[in-house]
Amino acid sequence: GIRMKILHAMSHEIAVVATGMAVTGIPAQHGQHFYVADTDEKFAQILNQLINTPKMVADVGKNARKFIQEQFSQQHSVAQFESIIYSLK
């Protein structure tokens, strides 16, 4: 669904602007990995900032990709799985 599309965009260093509902459950931070805008005015404000500040776009894109690589990589998933298995012993 929508969350997978957001994660996919983040993995490609795309600056994401989404509603709080759309990013619910994604353990990333507003302003560092994506931007949250719950009103038309906030969307317009953030989009205007991104249009006028290419470094902001690049920075959040790079942070987003790094976040995805760290949190959703195969290695990370295996480590989480192993942790769960060992905790059951």
Side-chain angles (χ1 to χ4, degrees):
I2 295 297
R3 284 178 196 85
M4 288 304 295
K5 291 178 178 116
I6 290 171
L7 294 172
H8 187 255
M10 290 171 66
S11 75
H12 288 280
E13 293 189 19
I14 295 171
V16 172
V17 182
T19 65
M21 173 92 58
V23 297
T24 298
I26 299 175
Q29 295 180 2
H30 164 75
Q32 184 176 356
H33 304 111
F34 54 66
Y35 296 97
V36 176
D38 286 317
T39 65
D40 294 342
E41 293 80 17
K42 190 67 176 173
F43 258 100
Q45 177 189 6
I46 292 171
L47 292 174
N48 191 39
Q49 287 177 328
L50 293 172
I51 289 167
N52 292 309
T53 316
K55 183 174 179 348
M56 211 169 134
V57 175
D59 289 347
V60 79
K62 287 177 186 171
N63 291 340
R65 181 178 175 92
K66 182 178 178 187
F67 170 80
I68 295 297
Q69 289 172 332
E70 290 172 353
Q71 296 297 312
F72 297 97
S73 69
Q74 185 175 4
Q75 280 181 310
H76 186 270
S77 297
V78 168
Q80 285 182 316
F81 180 73
E82 287 176 342
S83 175
I84 291 167
I85 295 300
Y86 291 130
S87 71
L88 297 175
K89 289 184 175 182

